Amino acid sequence: MKNLFILGNWKSNKTMTEAANWLEIFSKNMPQIPGHVSIIVCPGFIHLPLFSSRTAPFALGVQNVSAYETGAFTGEIAASMVANTVSYAMIGHSERRKHLGETDEVVAEKVKRVLSVGIRPVVCVSDVAQAEKLAASVPEFTKTGLILYEPLFAIGSGKSDSPENANIAAGSIHGILPETPILYGGSVTAENVRGFVGTEHITGVGVGGASLDAAKFLSLISAAL
Ligand code: PGA
């Protein structure tokens, strides 16, 4: 059976109380998850202790890490600081590329950092060229990395790409990274998720807005199974 990854990206949202409420509802209502399915939740850094202090029925990820090792980098969270807490790290989300000037070079540095401490990188790309640069600059990415393909127009817009188009883009990325699981992201909902995970090249989804409400995220997971 093909693996399936469902990754929730909370972005810059939720107080501690809101996160605790979400976790309460989610944990109580989570369906039985088959072995080939990985649920990954990427909350804010401040929420990590809340999540890791419980036996959460999913894997934990972060939305970013520093491009540097530990040391005099005020405000940064180094990959090694979260290595014992999370299994995945999103790198190079298009919002970071756009608002925080994250270049392909910075993305490559961050990927190296997380690989060096045993975290699986989930590199976000909005086109095939970004995947090409990654493959060329960090060949070791292919061992454990995942790609989250998110076309810019589809992020947070309520207008997802079609499964057909997304599958074509994922096929091109597979031409460069044949072994890498490719997730689609951009306005994924409980209503459209099946279309994406049913395609040849797409092995899961990245979910922003629809992961913020525990009940909605649970419906999406059930629809994808
Ligand atoms: P969205 O965000 O589901 O709200 O479109 C997806 C993402 O940016 O990861």
Side-chain angles (χ1 to χ4, degrees):
M1 170 113 13
K2 191 167 128 173
N3 286 336
L4 174 63
F5 296 88
I6 302 175
L7 176 147
N9 170 16
W10 281 9
K11 308 193 179 184
S12 188
N13 289 294
K14 292 200 190 294
T15 63
M16 289 299 281
T17 310
E18 288 166 345
N21 289 341
W22 186 101
L23 188 55
E24 191 72 31
I25 298 171
F26 190 84
S27 305
K28 266 196 200 134
N29 297 289
M30 189 164 174
Q32 193 67 33
I33 301 295
H36 68 285
V37 180
S38 303
I39 309 293
I40 307 160
V41 181
C42 303
F45 282 114
I46 61 157
H47 306 125
L48 293 179
L50 170 75
F51 278 73
S52 56
S53 65
R54 307 251 300 235
T55 327
F58 45 76
L60 207 47
V62 286
Q63 301 167 20
N64 177 45
V65 292
S66 172
Y68 303 97
E69 305 274 6
T70 50
F73 301 102
T74 301
E76 290 292 278
I77 308 277
S80 56
M81 291 164 67
V82 291
N84 294 330
T85 309
V86 304
S87 313
Y88 296 85
M90 300 174 66
I91 308 281
H93 190 282
S94 63
E95 288 152 11
R96 299 195 59 82
R97 293 181 192 253
K98 181 176 168 195
H99 301 299
L100 297 149
E102 215 159 272
T103 60
D104 288 315
E105 289 69 32
V106 172
V107 168
E109 280 310 305
K110 292 185 173 190
V111 170
K112 288 178 195 162
R113 293 279 98 76
V114 306
L115 286 173
S116 73
V117 294
I119 296 175
R120 293 185 77 174
V122 181
V123 177
C124 307
V125 303
S126 51
D127 57 41
V128 179
Q130 290 174 346
E132 248 160 10
K133 290 199 185 119
L134 172 71
S137 52
V138 197
E140 62 273 32
F141 167 81
T142 53
K143 278 187 222 141
T144 58
L146 289 80
I147 291 283
L148 172 53
Y149 167 68
E150 304 195 299
L152 296 180
F153 70 85
I155 297 177
S157 65
K159 293 189 173 69
S160 66
D161 203 350
S162 67
E164 296 72 25
N165 279 342
N167 183 51
I168 291 170
S172 304
I173 297 171
H174 263 161
I176 304 156
L177 296 162
E179 309 295 330
T180 303
I182 299 174
L183 285 57
Y184 164 80
S187 299
V188 177
T189 62
E191 287 70 40
N192 65 19
V193 67
R194 269 288 345 135
F196 294 105
V197 300
T199 61
E200 183 187 351
H201 292 287
I202 297 172
T203 314
V205 286
V207 186
S211 72
L212 290 175
D213 179 290
K216 268 195 196 160
F217 193 45
L218 285 162
S219 322
L220 188 153
I221 292 168
S222 300
L225 295 180

